[in-house]
Amino acid sequence: MSKRRIYYFDNNATTQVAPEVVEAMLPFLTNSWGNASSAYSFGKEVSKHVKEARHQTAALINADPKEIVFTSCGTESNNSAIHSALALHPQKKHVITTAVEHSANINYGEFLRKHGYEVTFLPVDPDGSLDLHLLDQAIRPDTAIVSIMWANNETGIVFPIEEIAALCRGKGVLFHTDAVQVPGKLPIDVKALDVDFLSLSAHKLHAPKGIGLLYIRHRTRYQPYIIGGHQEHGRRGGTENVAGIVAFGRAAELAMSKLNEENTRVRALRDRLETAILKGVPHTVRSGAKEPRLPNTTNIAFDGIEAEAILLMLDQAGICVSSGSACTTGSLDPSHVLTAMGIPAMRARGCVRFSLGIYNTAEEVDHLIATLPPVIAKLRASSPEHSPPPPHARAAHPTKR
Ligand SMILES: Cc1ncc(COP(=O)(O)O)c(C=O)c1O
């Protein structure tokens, strides 16, 4: 691994594992490596820590610990919720989601379509918001589940999840929300929300990859997705990832304690970065509304340049940012999220996501603010064919500064 300094602005893709989290999980990779489901005390000792982590993660979302099922990732949690609804209601063949979900939902929806289900991908407005009347109209007697993300990983746009949950409850349809981008950034209270299912993924909150959870409301029936042993009270087969679970528990505590910092210091850094780019770099436009938005995320179009070229040049300076989601990297198509917002392909290809986190400093943001303008100027100078679109094309674009 290179020792050069890294300036990390891609916290929506993954986060640095917190030292406190590493410390908490290490014993379960060294001395306490027993199987949490074993009957002898070497295993039972380990299971106590799994129980503690269940309480810690439940506290993060104000759930009952019994309502937590540990999974391998956010993708598994999303797939599991939708699968359960369909498996338990075989007469219901319709699923509702949105056109701006993570590929965990988009591609699962496409898979379901190929297997005889109807999937509605609700459109969004140019500012990234959802029209709840369209959701209302889309719900049918054969709708098995509505699955809508809480906060968008590419733009940070936050959907009114409380209203959506109430609408679904009123119509008697199951509701799942992908809250993977939310913990540590917005408070989560599943009791107040009254959702049936909610997904989280530990690597977005300073724990390692490979551990997630699905909250299942205690009155909601559930059909396991991974069928095997009796782990997780028979709701998810497979030997428990003890180190990951313990890490998740500690990270959940940290996320709660950092909520205020995300919403003050990190938000201020994000706003400073965004303003500096929009004011200091010509032909730049924010993708989507200013609010309601996650406090750490901004997505900005650099007209006339391919985001991939910006990424490569920033990478040479040790700066990590992304175009779209890490799960779609390598795809030549413009982001499906930006496309769904009506952003023309040419502009969408020039969009860069900056996602900050608790480890970012003002000095790092200053470095990015200083590095970016010459990079953009150089790229624009070297690709005259990629000159910015004429003013009328920009005016026609629906996003606001
Ligand atoms: C909104 C959202 N949902 C789901 C996922 C998938 O989570 P995981 O990587 O744990 O499968 C991600 C990860 O980027 C995400 O941002």
Short mmCIF file of all heavy atoms in Angstrom, two decimals, residues 12-14 71-78 100-105 149-154 178-182 199-204 208-212 325-327 353, ligand 1:
data_model
loop_
_atom_site.label_atom_id
_atom_site.label_comp_id
_atom_site.label_asym_id
_atom_site.label_seq_id
_atom_site.Cartn_x
_atom_site.Cartn_y
_atom_site.Cartn_z
N ASN A 12 -19.87 8.33 1.21
CA ASN A 12 -21.11 7.61 0.89
C ASN A 12 -20.79 6.26 0.25
O ASN A 12 -21.65 5.38 0.18
CB ASN A 12 -22.01 8.43 -0.04
CG ASN A 12 -22.67 9.59 0.70
OD1 ASN A 12 -22.32 9.86 1.84
ND2 ASN A 12 -23.60 10.27 0.04
N ALA A 13 -19.56 6.10 -0.23
CA ALA A 13 -19.16 4.81 -0.81
C ALA A 13 -18.77 3.85 0.31
O ALA A 13 -19.25 2.71 0.36
CB ALA A 13 -17.99 4.99 -1.77
N THR A 14 -17.92 4.31 1.18
CA THR A 14 -17.59 3.55 2.39
C THR A 14 -16.86 4.51 3.32
O THR A 14 -16.49 5.61 2.93
CB THR A 14 -16.77 2.29 2.09
OG1 THR A 14 -16.82 1.42 3.24
CG2 THR A 14 -15.30 2.59 1.79
N THR A 71 -27.44 -9.13 8.91
CA THR A 71 -27.28 -9.67 7.55
C THR A 71 -25.83 -9.43 7.12
O THR A 71 -25.01 -9.00 7.93
CB THR A 71 -28.23 -8.93 6.58
OG1 THR A 71 -27.84 -7.55 6.53
CG2 THR A 71 -29.69 -9.03 7.00
N SER A 72 -25.56 -9.67 5.84
CA SER A 72 -24.17 -9.47 5.38
C SER A 72 -23.94 -8.06 4.84
O SER A 72 -22.80 -7.65 4.69
CB SER A 72 -23.82 -10.48 4.30
OG SER A 72 -24.59 -10.22 3.14
N CYS A 73 -25.02 -7.35 4.49
CA CYS A 73 -24.84 -6.02 3.88
C CYS A 73 -26.20 -5.36 3.65
O CYS A 73 -27.24 -6.00 3.82
CB CYS A 73 -24.10 -6.14 2.54
SG CYS A 73 -24.94 -7.18 1.33
N GLY A 74 -26.14 -4.12 3.20
CA GLY A 74 -27.38 -3.40 2.90
C GLY A 74 -28.13 -4.04 1.74
O GLY A 74 -29.36 -4.10 1.74
N THR A 75 -27.40 -4.52 0.77
CA THR A 75 -28.03 -5.15 -0.40
C THR A 75 -28.86 -6.36 0.03
O THR A 75 -30.02 -6.51 -0.38
CB THR A 75 -26.95 -5.57 -1.42
OG1 THR A 75 -26.19 -4.42 -1.78
CG2 THR A 75 -27.56 -6.20 -2.66
N GLU A 76 -28.27 -7.20 0.87
CA GLU A 76 -29.02 -8.37 1.36
C GLU A 76 -30.26 -7.93 2.13
O GLU A 76 -31.34 -8.53 1.97
CB GLU A 76 -28.13 -9.25 2.25
CG GLU A 76 -28.86 -10.51 2.71
CD GLU A 76 -28.14 -11.28 3.81
OE1 GLU A 76 -26.89 -11.34 3.81
OE2 GLU A 76 -28.83 -11.84 4.69
N SER A 77 -30.12 -6.90 2.94
CA SER A 77 -31.27 -6.44 3.74
C SER A 77 -32.40 -5.98 2.83
O SER A 77 -33.57 -6.34 3.04
CB SER A 77 -30.84 -5.30 4.67
OG SER A 77 -29.81 -5.73 5.52
N ASN A 78 -32.06 -5.18 1.81
CA ASN A 78 -33.10 -4.70 0.88
C ASN A 78 -33.77 -5.87 0.17
O ASN A 78 -35.01 -5.96 0.12
CB ASN A 78 -32.49 -3.80 -0.20
CG ASN A 78 -32.18 -2.40 0.29
OD1 ASN A 78 -32.22 -2.14 1.48
ND2 ASN A 78 -31.85 -1.52 -0.62
N VAL A 100 -34.68 6.14 -8.46
CA VAL A 100 -33.39 6.67 -8.00
C VAL A 100 -32.78 5.82 -6.88
O VAL A 100 -31.85 6.25 -6.20
CB VAL A 100 -33.52 8.14 -7.52
CG1 VAL A 100 -33.89 9.05 -8.67
CG2 VAL A 100 -34.53 8.27 -6.38
N GLU A 101 -33.30 4.60 -6.70
CA GLU A 101 -32.76 3.73 -5.64
C GLU A 101 -31.34 3.29 -5.97
O GLU A 101 -30.88 3.36 -7.11
CB GLU A 101 -33.65 2.48 -5.50
CG GLU A 101 -35.09 2.74 -5.16
CD GLU A 101 -35.32 3.30 -3.77
OE1 GLU A 101 -34.76 2.76 -2.80
OE2 GLU A 101 -36.07 4.28 -3.66
N HIS A 102 -30.70 2.76 -4.95
CA HIS A 102 -29.41 2.10 -5.14
C HIS A 102 -29.62 0.87 -6.04
O HIS A 102 -30.73 0.33 -6.10
CB HIS A 102 -28.88 1.66 -3.77
CG HIS A 102 -27.51 1.09 -3.80
ND1 HIS A 102 -27.26 -0.25 -3.93
CD2 HIS A 102 -26.30 1.70 -3.72
CE1 HIS A 102 -25.95 -0.44 -3.92
NE2 HIS A 102 -25.35 0.72 -3.79
N SER A 103 -28.56 0.42 -6.69
CA SER A 103 -28.70 -0.75 -7.58
C SER A 103 -29.20 -1.98 -6.83
O SER A 103 -29.74 -2.91 -7.43
CB SER A 103 -27.39 -1.05 -8.30
OG SER A 103 -26.32 -1.02 -7.39
N ALA A 104 -29.07 -1.98 -5.50
CA ALA A 104 -29.62 -3.09 -4.69
C ALA A 104 -31.12 -3.24 -4.95
O ALA A 104 -31.64 -4.35 -4.93
CB ALA A 104 -29.37 -2.82 -3.21
N ASN A 105 -31.82 -2.15 -5.19
CA ASN A 105 -33.24 -2.22 -5.48
C ASN A 105 -33.53 -2.21 -6.98
O ASN A 105 -34.40 -2.94 -7.45
CB ASN A 105 -33.97 -1.01 -4.86
CG ASN A 105 -34.62 -1.36 -3.54
OD1 ASN A 105 -34.15 -2.26 -2.85
ND2 ASN A 105 -35.67 -0.66 -3.18
N MET A 149 -36.07 4.47 -0.65
CA MET A 149 -34.90 4.86 0.15
C MET A 149 -35.21 6.12 0.97
O MET A 149 -36.03 6.94 0.57
CB MET A 149 -33.68 5.07 -0.75
CG MET A 149 -33.76 6.28 -1.63
SD MET A 149 -32.54 6.35 -3.00
CE MET A 149 -31.13 5.52 -2.43
N TRP A 150 -34.49 6.25 2.07
CA TRP A 150 -34.68 7.43 2.92
C TRP A 150 -33.84 8.60 2.37
O TRP A 150 -34.33 9.71 2.20
CB TRP A 150 -34.27 7.08 4.35
CG TRP A 150 -34.60 8.10 5.38
CD1 TRP A 150 -34.76 9.44 5.20
CD2 TRP A 150 -34.83 7.86 6.77
NE1 TRP A 150 -35.06 10.05 6.39
CE2 TRP A 150 -35.11 9.10 7.38
CE3 TRP A 150 -34.82 6.71 7.57
CZ2 TRP A 150 -35.37 9.23 8.74
CZ3 TRP A 150 -35.07 6.84 8.92
CH2 TRP A 150 -35.35 8.08 9.49
N ALA A 151 -32.57 8.31 2.08
CA ALA A 151 -31.68 9.37 1.58
C ALA A 151 -30.88 8.82 0.41
O ALA A 151 -30.40 7.68 0.45
CB ALA A 151 -30.74 9.83 2.67
N ASN A 152 -30.75 9.65 -0.62
CA ASN A 152 -30.09 9.18 -1.84
C ASN A 152 -28.57 9.22 -1.71
O ASN A 152 -28.01 10.24 -1.31
CB ASN A 152 -30.55 10.02 -3.03
CG ASN A 152 -30.10 9.40 -4.33
OD1 ASN A 152 -28.97 9.59 -4.76
ND2 ASN A 152 -30.96 8.61 -4.94
N ASN A 153 -27.94 8.12 -2.10
CA ASN A 153 -26.49 8.02 -1.96
C ASN A 153 -25.73 8.91 -2.92
O ASN A 153 -24.60 9.31 -2.65
CB ASN A 153 -26.02 6.56 -2.13
CG ASN A 153 -26.65 5.87 -3.30
OD1 ASN A 153 -27.88 5.79 -3.40
ND2 ASN A 153 -25.85 5.38 -4.21
N GLU A 154 -26.34 9.29 -4.06
CA GLU A 154 -25.61 10.10 -5.04
C GLU A 154 -25.80 11.60 -4.83
O GLU A 154 -24.88 12.37 -5.05
CB GLU A 154 -26.06 9.72 -6.46
CG GLU A 154 -25.60 8.33 -6.85
CD GLU A 154 -25.81 8.05 -8.33
OE1 GLU A 154 -25.72 8.98 -9.14
OE2 GLU A 154 -26.07 6.87 -8.65
N ASP A 178 -34.78 1.85 2.69
CA ASP A 178 -33.34 1.67 2.64
C ASP A 178 -32.75 2.91 3.31
O ASP A 178 -32.72 4.00 2.73
CB ASP A 178 -32.92 1.57 1.16
CG ASP A 178 -31.42 1.59 0.97
OD1 ASP A 178 -30.68 1.89 1.93
OD2 ASP A 178 -30.97 1.31 -0.15
N ALA A 179 -32.30 2.71 4.55
CA ALA A 179 -31.77 3.85 5.34
C ALA A 179 -30.24 3.79 5.41
O ALA A 179 -29.64 4.36 6.32
CB ALA A 179 -32.38 3.84 6.73
N VAL A 180 -29.63 3.11 4.44
CA VAL A 180 -28.19 2.85 4.49
C VAL A 180 -27.37 4.14 4.64
O VAL A 180 -26.35 4.15 5.33
CB VAL A 180 -27.76 2.02 3.25
CG1 VAL A 180 -26.26 2.04 3.04
CG2 VAL A 180 -28.25 0.58 3.40
N GLN A 181 -27.82 5.23 4.03
CA GLN A 181 -27.02 6.47 4.09
C GLN A 181 -27.37 7.35 5.28
O GLN A 181 -26.80 8.43 5.43
CB GLN A 181 -27.20 7.28 2.79
CG GLN A 181 -26.58 6.64 1.57
CD GLN A 181 -25.04 6.56 1.65
OE1 GLN A 181 -24.41 7.25 2.45
NE2 GLN A 181 -24.46 5.71 0.83
N VAL A 182 -28.28 6.92 6.13
CA VAL A 182 -28.84 7.83 7.13
C VAL A 182 -28.14 7.85 8.50
O VAL A 182 -27.96 8.93 9.08
CB VAL A 182 -30.36 7.55 7.29
CG1 VAL A 182 -30.97 8.45 8.34
CG2 VAL A 182 -31.07 7.73 5.95
N SER A 199 -33.35 -1.01 6.32
CA SER A 199 -32.01 -1.59 6.08
C SER A 199 -30.90 -0.64 6.50
O SER A 199 -30.99 0.56 6.26
CB SER A 199 -31.80 -1.84 4.58
OG SER A 199 -32.80 -2.66 4.05
N LEU A 200 -29.86 -1.23 7.09
CA LEU A 200 -28.63 -0.48 7.39
C LEU A 200 -27.43 -1.30 6.95
O LEU A 200 -27.52 -2.53 6.83
CB LEU A 200 -28.50 -0.21 8.90
CG LEU A 200 -29.51 0.69 9.59
CD1 LEU A 200 -29.09 0.87 11.06
CD2 LEU A 200 -29.66 2.04 8.92
N SER A 201 -26.32 -0.62 6.76
CA SER A 201 -25.07 -1.30 6.39
C SER A 201 -23.94 -0.69 7.21
O SER A 201 -23.74 0.53 7.21
CB SER A 201 -24.81 -1.10 4.90
OG SER A 201 -23.59 -1.68 4.55
N ALA A 202 -23.18 -1.55 7.89
CA ALA A 202 -22.21 -1.06 8.88
C ALA A 202 -21.06 -0.27 8.26
O ALA A 202 -20.52 0.64 8.88
CB ALA A 202 -21.66 -2.24 9.68
N HIS A 203 -20.69 -0.60 7.00
CA HIS A 203 -19.49 0.06 6.46
C HIS A 203 -19.73 1.52 6.10
O HIS A 203 -18.79 2.24 5.77
CB HIS A 203 -18.89 -0.74 5.29
CG HIS A 203 -19.62 -0.67 3.99
ND1 HIS A 203 -19.23 0.17 2.98
CD2 HIS A 203 -20.68 -1.36 3.53
CE1 HIS A 203 -20.04 -0.02 1.93
NE2 HIS A 203 -20.93 -0.93 2.24
N LYS A 204 -20.99 1.96 6.20
CA LYS A 204 -21.25 3.39 5.97
C LYS A 204 -21.12 4.17 7.26
O LYS A 204 -21.28 5.39 7.27
CB LYS A 204 -22.66 3.58 5.39
CG LYS A 204 -23.00 2.72 4.20
CD LYS A 204 -22.27 3.12 2.94
CE LYS A 204 -22.76 2.25 1.78
NZ LYS A 204 -22.10 2.55 0.53
N PRO A 208 -16.53 -2.26 9.58
CA PRO A 208 -16.06 -2.92 8.35
C PRO A 208 -17.18 -3.31 7.39
O PRO A 208 -18.35 -3.30 7.74
CB PRO A 208 -15.36 -4.18 8.86
CG PRO A 208 -15.51 -4.20 10.32
CD PRO A 208 -16.38 -3.08 10.76
N LYS A 209 -16.76 -3.68 6.19
CA LYS A 209 -17.70 -4.17 5.18
C LYS A 209 -18.12 -5.60 5.53
O LYS A 209 -17.40 -6.30 6.24
CB LYS A 209 -17.03 -4.16 3.80
CG LYS A 209 -16.74 -2.75 3.30
CD LYS A 209 -15.37 -2.68 2.65
CE LYS A 209 -14.86 -1.27 2.54
NZ LYS A 209 -14.35 -0.72 3.82
N GLY A 210 -19.27 -6.01 5.00
CA GLY A 210 -19.69 -7.40 5.18
C GLY A 210 -20.63 -7.61 6.36
O GLY A 210 -20.84 -8.74 6.78
N ILE A 211 -21.19 -6.52 6.89
CA ILE A 211 -22.17 -6.69 7.96
C ILE A 211 -23.26 -5.61 7.80
O ILE A 211 -22.96 -4.44 7.59
CB ILE A 211 -21.50 -6.65 9.37
CG1 ILE A 211 -22.52 -6.84 10.49
CG2 ILE A 211 -20.65 -5.41 9.58
CD1 ILE A 211 -23.01 -8.25 10.63
N GLY A 212 -24.49 -6.06 7.86
CA GLY A 212 -25.62 -5.14 7.75
C GLY A 212 -26.71 -5.59 8.69
O GLY A 212 -26.52 -6.54 9.47
N SER A 325 -22.49 6.15 -7.93
CA SER A 325 -22.30 5.24 -6.83
C SER A 325 -21.17 4.28 -7.14
O SER A 325 -20.94 3.93 -8.30
CB SER A 325 -23.62 4.49 -6.61
OG SER A 325 -23.41 3.12 -6.51
N ALA A 326 -20.45 3.84 -6.11
CA ALA A 326 -19.34 2.92 -6.32
C ALA A 326 -19.82 1.62 -6.97
O ALA A 326 -19.07 0.97 -7.70
CB ALA A 326 -18.68 2.61 -4.98
N CYS A 327 -21.09 1.29 -6.74
CA CYS A 327 -21.62 0.04 -7.29
C CYS A 327 -21.87 0.13 -8.78
O CYS A 327 -22.18 -0.87 -9.42
CB CYS A 327 -22.90 -0.35 -6.57
SG CYS A 327 -22.60 -0.64 -4.84
N ARG A 353 -19.65 13.46 -7.20
CA ARG A 353 -20.20 13.43 -5.83
C ARG A 353 -19.08 13.64 -4.83
O ARG A 353 -18.07 12.94 -4.88
CB ARG A 353 -20.89 12.09 -5.56
CG ARG A 353 -21.36 11.96 -4.12
CD ARG A 353 -21.94 10.59 -3.83
NE ARG A 353 -20.93 9.55 -3.74
CZ ARG A 353 -21.19 8.26 -3.55
NH1 ARG A 353 -22.44 7.86 -3.48
NH2 ARG A 353 -20.22 7.38 -3.47
C1 LIG B 1 -28.51 3.80 -0.38
C2 LIG B 1 -27.74 2.51 -0.39
N1 LIG B 1 -28.40 1.35 -0.32
C3 LIG B 1 -27.79 0.18 -0.32
C4 LIG B 1 -26.42 0.10 -0.42
C5 LIG B 1 -25.76 -1.24 -0.43
O1 LIG B 1 -25.11 -1.48 0.78
P1 LIG B 1 -24.01 -2.64 0.84
O2 LIG B 1 -22.80 -2.11 0.19
O3 LIG B 1 -23.80 -2.87 2.30
O4 LIG B 1 -24.59 -3.82 0.17
C6 LIG B 1 -25.67 1.27 -0.51
C7 LIG B 1 -24.21 1.23 -0.67
O5 LIG B 1 -23.63 2.06 -1.38
C8 LIG B 1 -26.35 2.53 -0.50
O6 LIG B 1 -25.69 3.68 -0.58
#
